Amino acid sequence: MASLQVSGMVVSGSSSSFCSHKSSVRATINGPKIRIGPLSLPRLSSKDFIEELSIRSGGYGIPVTTQMEKGSGPKTSSSDPVVVAKLYAIMEAVADRIEMHKNIGEQRDNWNHLLLSSIHAMTLTAATMCGLAAASASGEPLAGLKVSSTILYLAATGMLAIMNKIQPSQLAEEQRNAARLFKQLHGQIQTLLSVGSPTVSDVNEATENVLALDKAYPLPLLGAMLERYPSSVEPAVWWPQQRRKQAKGIGRKIEGNGWNRELEDEMREIVGVLKRKDKADYLRLSGKALKAHKVLAFSGPLLTGLGALGSAFVGTTNPWAVILGVAGGALASVVNAMEHGGQVGMIFEMYRSNAGFFKLMEESIESNINETNVWGRENGQVYEMKVALQLGRSLSGLKNLAASSSLRNIEEDTEEEFGSKLF
């Protein structure tokens, strides 16, 4: 119930007089009491800001997720804004690297197809001209065909030597690997900004990863190109080399942060399998591919050079001149098709990169299990899941692999399976 008293002035209709009147009005109002609270302003949406950050970081269809959207976990806003700005700057550089390696990879793949087609056409044309010059109806070799055949053979020899030196198919594979690894780094930085609290050490680590990838997969050809025919095969390395932490027996803590002795033993068995089977097998395959690579790279220019020599002496009394001029070109076409059409250089690089992948897994696992303080490691349960997915296995399959490896150490005649189900 509420009482309302109103005092007012009553104004008459006459202009000459005013009358003051006071009245009391008592009114009874039935209804709920109305309380006026503080004004509520609409919250500003972060969607536009997020879209702007996504555009500035390069896009690539990977949305930038913030803790305001996720609603849980440590918030990026609590981190140093300078650190966050640096990470976004690194993301922009990584996005630019992705685009550069993608474009250059396509360009070098086109080099392989165009150069191979041109050398094939030149070699077969030179062999045909050499045969026509030797079989001329007048009994004398046609000088024009003879000279043209020799010139085409010499040009094909020079172009083939350059092509074997740079190996466009291998260059294209390097750029594809670089683009894929830079995309992984781009996603890792985004995840760190979304669900973590980045620090200066994270900025330094991201910078080192970018520089290590630049060194492992250089963009220029002159002066920075990787060696095409190394004396020994080593796994590809695209991560910064750090000093390994040595485990200490005294005061070493095993339990906590998702880790226990059983998980440590399981990871040790996985490392042993990767060293004995997966990495060793890909290094063996890389060695075979390298040997075939060297033989084919040497044989192609040699055969076209012999073809040029034979075509130059067509018409002499030596019958081997025609054989070298025609058969040399035919054999050179076969060798070039096997080397560059089969992309032997790309196969060698692929095997070398796969061996590097298993080496990286070994170092990562050993770095975690050698850390004396379990809270300085990655969470054990999360890490176990990551290892299983990287090897194309389920968690139960990973445990079975470790158990079978342990059984093999006891029974020597037991055949060991490969760790990875992907490659």
Side-chain angles (χ1 to χ4, degrees):
M1 300 291 291
S3 296
L4 179 65
Q5 175 136 359
V6 180
S7 296
M9 295 284 298
V10 178
V11 183
S12 67
S14 174
S15 62
S16 60
S17 64
F18 296 89
C19 186
S20 176
H21 181 73
K22 180 184 292 185
S23 62
S24 295
V25 179
R26 297 183 62 86
T28 301
I29 303 175
N30 294 319
K33 294 183 179 181
I34 301 175
R35 295 181 180 180
I36 300 176
L39 294 177
S40 178
L41 296 177
R43 294 183 180 180
L44 295 177
S45 173
S46 62
K47 180 178 180 182
D48 296 335
F49 177 67
I50 295 169
E51 291 178 352
E52 175 66 17
L53 291 180
S54 179
I55 294 172
R56 289 179 61 82
S57 63
Y60 295 99
I62 307 175
V64 177
T65 308
T66 64
Q67 288 301 319
M68 291 182 289
E69 292 176 332
K70 297 180 74 68
S72 62
K75 298 183 181 300
T76 306
S77 58
S78 63
S79 302
D80 187 353
V82 176
V83 171
V84 175
K86 288 181 178 179
L87 284 176
Y88 273 110
I90 294 173
M91 281 179 59
E92 291 180 358
V94 169
D96 186 55
R97 297 288 204 289
I98 294 171
E99 195 66 24
M100 284 194 296
H101 282 284
K102 179 182 176 182
N103 294 339
I104 292 178
E106 293 177 354
Q107 177 198 59
R108 291 173 179 176
D109 190 45
N110 288 335
W111 284 2
N112 186 62
H113 296 297
L114 294 175
L115 286 173
L116 179 60
S117 300
S118 300
I119 292 173
H120 264 321
M122 294 167 65
T123 304
L124 294 176
T125 303
T128 304
M129 287 182 173
C130 180
L132 291 175
S136 58
S138 62
E140 294 292 332
L142 299 178
L145 291 176
K146 177 181 174 179
V147 172
S148 298
S149 175
T150 304
I151 291 174
L152 285 175
Y153 268 133
L154 292 176
T157 302
M159 292 177 62
L160 191 56
I162 296 174
M163 190 176 182
N164 290 344
K165 176 63 178 178
I166 65 175
Q167 289 293 327
S169 66
Q170 190 170 344
L171 285 172
E173 179 66 15
E174 290 174 4
Q175 306 312 313
R176 284 191 289 265
N177 287 336
R180 178 178 60 86
L181 294 170
F182 271 115
K183 283 182 180 179
Q184 287 183 2
L185 181 59
H186 190 273
Q188 290 170 5
I189 298 174
Q190 279 190 325
T191 302
L192 178 63
L193 287 168
S194 300
V195 300
S197 297
T199 60
V200 176
S201 62
D202 295 321
V203 174
N204 295 335
E205 183 180 356
T207 304
E208 290 176 357
N209 286 329
V210 172
L211 297 178
L213 277 170
D214 286 339
K215 182 179 179 181
Y217 299 104
L219 286 170
L221 289 178
L222 300 178
M225 187 175 64
L226 299 179
E227 188 178 358
R228 290 289 171 257
Y229 310 100
S231 58
S232 61
V233 180
E234 296 292 337
V237 177
W238 59 82
W239 59 92
Q241 296 298 296
Q242 300 176 354
R243 186 174 56 186
R244 294 187 181 182
K245 300 177 181 178
Q246 299 296 327
K248 299 179 181 180
I250 300 176
R252 187 164 184 263
K253 188 175 181 181
I254 297 177
E255 302 291 335
N257 196 23
W259 287 90
N260 52 44
R261 188 174 296 277
E262 180 183 355
L263 181 57
E264 278 198 0
D265 294 339
E266 177 186 333
M267 290 293 109
R268 287 192 179 91
E269 294 294 339
I270 297 300
V271 169
V273 172
L274 296 181
K275 285 182 178 179
R276 291 188 301 267
K277 296 293 291 184
D278 298 79
K279 188 176 76 172
D281 186 62
Y282 276 106
L283 288 177
R284 179 181 59 82
L285 293 173
S286 298
K288 291 184 176 181
L290 180 60
K291 289 179 181 178
H293 194 28
K294 291 179 178 179
V295 171
L296 293 173
F298 177 77
S299 301
L302 176 63
L303 290 171
T304 53
L306 291 175
L309 183 63
S311 63
F313 289 97
V314 168
T316 61
T317 57
N318 192 346
W320 286 99
V322 180
I323 297 176
L324 285 178
V326 178
L331 290 175
S333 297
V334 174
V335 169
N336 295 335
M338 292 176 62
E339 182 184 8
H340 298 290
Q343 300 190 3
V344 179
M346 182 272 293
I347 294 174
F348 166 68
E349 180 63 29
M350 180 183 65
Y351 286 154
R352 198 174 69 93
S353 297
N354 289 344
F357 168 76
F358 292 115
K359 181 179 180 180
L360 176 60
M361 286 196 65
E362 292 171 18
E363 291 189 4
S364 176
I365 295 173
E366 289 175 348
S367 175
N368 272 279
I369 62 179
N370 288 341
E371 171 62 51
T372 56
N373 184 7
V374 292
W375 298 104
R377 307 175 185 178
E378 191 172 349
N379 182 272
Q381 296 179 358
V382 176
Y383 191 70
E384 183 184 21
M385 183 189 67
K386 286 173 61 175
V387 171
L389 291 176
Q390 285 176 341
L391 296 179
R393 292 176 175 270
S394 62
L395 289 176
S396 59
L398 190 69
K399 294 182 184 296
N400 292 335
L401 175 65
S404 63
S405 175
S406 178
L407 181 62
R408 180 190 174 277
N409 294 333
I410 300 174
E411 303 176 3
E412 295 295 335
D413 57 342
T414 304
E415 185 178 356
E416 189 173 28
E417 62 175 321
F418 287 91
S420 176
K421 294 287 188 180
L422 295 178
F423 302 114

